[in-house]
Amino acid sequence: MSAAPPPAATIGEHHADVAGGWLRPAVFGTMDGLVTNIALIAGVGGGGAAAGSIVLAGTAGLVAGAISMAIGEYTSVRAQNEQIAAEIAKERYELDRHPEAEARELAGLLVGRGIPADLAEQVATALRDRPEAALRMHVQEELGVDPDDRPSPWVAAGSSFSCFSVGALVPLLPFLLGFGQLWLALAVGGAGLFVAGVLVARFTGRRWWRGGLRLLSLGALATAATYLVGRLVGAGVGLS
């Protein structure tokens, strides 16, 4: 005897929220905050700056980066939503003016997805008399988006701002706690990178240790590059 299907109320509950507009800016914000401030601290410290100067530079980098990330996310998500709204308005206009042609177009799209031609024509014909349902179907098929489920630019901005701030704060913690060793700040930042990589891997279903090592390796490359630049510039201006 085959197993009974799961109750309808439980279907889909295991899926993550991928359309809310917060996950991508949260991930990028945390990563950018960590990498940016670790590299900034490495460059300034490598140039021979004192602990107070490193804290000043790191704090400025945290504030400037968080604001920049928030503005960028807000602008990009709002521009995307406005573009989608314009395309939806265009599709609505075509449905109002040319319903027969749009029905044939939708039937062709459904056939292209493997639906039998007669069934695709029946669906398109039925939707022709239901303008809102037809609009939703056209938008989903032609644009690949749900017109009723678009990300919020404010959520994206807030998520990016807060997560960048948290990430950028991690390598500053040793200095703020009274430790003046550059290597300790870089080690704490490296641990933060590894943890961030593990968390991303948990969201995406990848192996946790690969995610951690990948982000740690990329951060190490950025840190090494800025440290070397800091050493060279510091020597050129007489700081190191």
Side-chain angles (χ1 to χ4, degrees), residues 19-26 66-85 149-162:
W22 65 269
L23 179 57
R24 183 184 65 86
I67 294 174
S68 176
M69 287 287 293
I71 292 174
E73 283 293 339
Y74 176 86
T75 303
S76 64
V77 173
R78 180 164 182 172
Q80 178 184 357
N81 286 347
E82 289 173 348
Q83 182 182 21
I84 292 173
D149 189 18
R150 282 175 275 174
S152 165
W154 289 108
V155 170
S159 178
S160 181
F161 181 91
S162 57

Side-chain angles (χ1 to χ4, degrees), residues 9 33 49 57 80 104 114 154 165 176 179 202 209 211 230 233:
Q80 178 184 357
R104 289 194 297 270
W154 289 108
S165 300
L176 296 176
F179 299 96
R202 296 279 294 182
W209 57 270
V233 174

Side-chain angles (χ1 to χ4, degrees), residues 90-155:
K90 185 188 303 183
E91 193 65 39
R92 188 187 299 275
Y93 176 86
E94 293 296 329
L95 284 168
D96 290 341
R97 297 299 186 277
H98 311 289
E100 296 292 339
E102 289 296 307
R104 289 194 297 270
E105 180 185 19
L106 179 58
L109 291 171
L110 295 175
V111 169
R113 287 187 173 271
I115 297 177
D118 55 345
L119 179 58
E121 184 175 350
Q122 291 177 28
V123 171
T125 301
L127 288 175
R128 184 185 58 195
D129 300 325
R130 301 176 59 193
E132 290 302 317
L135 176 65
R136 185 175 295 105
M137 178 69 78
H138 275 271
V139 171
Q140 289 175 337
E141 290 296 320
E142 297 181 35
L143 303 180
V145 298
D146 186 342
D148 299 324
D149 189 18
R150 282 175 275 174
S152 165
W154 289 108
V155 170

Side-chain angles (χ1 to χ4, degrees), residues 26-41 58 61-62 65-66 69 160 163-171 193:
V27 170
F28 281 114
T30 303
M31 289 183 177
D32 281 355
L34 281 163
V35 174
T36 298
N37 245 21
I38 293 171
L40 178 60
I41 288 172
L62 185 157
M69 287 287 293
S160 181
C163 290
F164 184 98
S165 300
V166 171
L169 181 63
V170 170
L193 284 171

